[in-house]
Amino acid sequence: SPDDPREPSRLLVWRSGGPTPVLEVELEKKGWAWVSPDGARAAFLRSNKVVLLNVEAATEACEIPTTEPRGMLFSADSARLAILEKHALRFADPATCRETATVDIGKTQLQLISFPGDLFAATFLSDAVYRYDALNRRVEKEDHTGVVARDATTRYLNDGWRTLEERAVPQTAVV
């Protein structure tokens, strides 16, 4: 059954009107497969590598090493692949598997949205990222709203009864 968690997840690619898949690949993580808009390439994750498939030939084309992947997205013209990692956004050429650019995103949590032409769109998963200590006390908040008047980072120092809040606005610090 498709809802059975023990059932392996697969990427299946059919030609329109074809009775059997032209490509079938077992996936390590359910839902971690992408097909290029032109249908020529498919991508999936295997052991911290992005594997690109040539759909027409039903063969593996190449692999791109990755670190802590969070998602992938083909450009609208299928000429580029964006790979979202924990601390970086990498762009690669799916035809050659060569990396074309890397953007350090630090601790920002992004979700890939669209990749039309030469533009790339992503959105923050939340307005802020909160960090807590072992006693579940908030120790830091990073604001990702982009509002200049807001604090970018707020740190909290706890001594048991009192909490001291330190705010750092970009290029200034207020205590």
Side-chain angles (χ1 to χ4, degrees), residues 61 73 80 86 106 117 165:
L73 189 64
R80 290 170 304 284
K86 184 174 183 180
E165 192 175 297

Side-chain angles (χ1 to χ4, degrees), residues 35-56:
V35 176
S36 62
D38 67 3
R41 301 257 185 240
F44 69 96
L45 191 67
R46 181 196 304 140
S47 302
N48 280 334
K49 290 180 184 160
V50 173
V51 179
L52 282 156
L53 304 167
N54 180 323
V55 174
E56 184 70 32

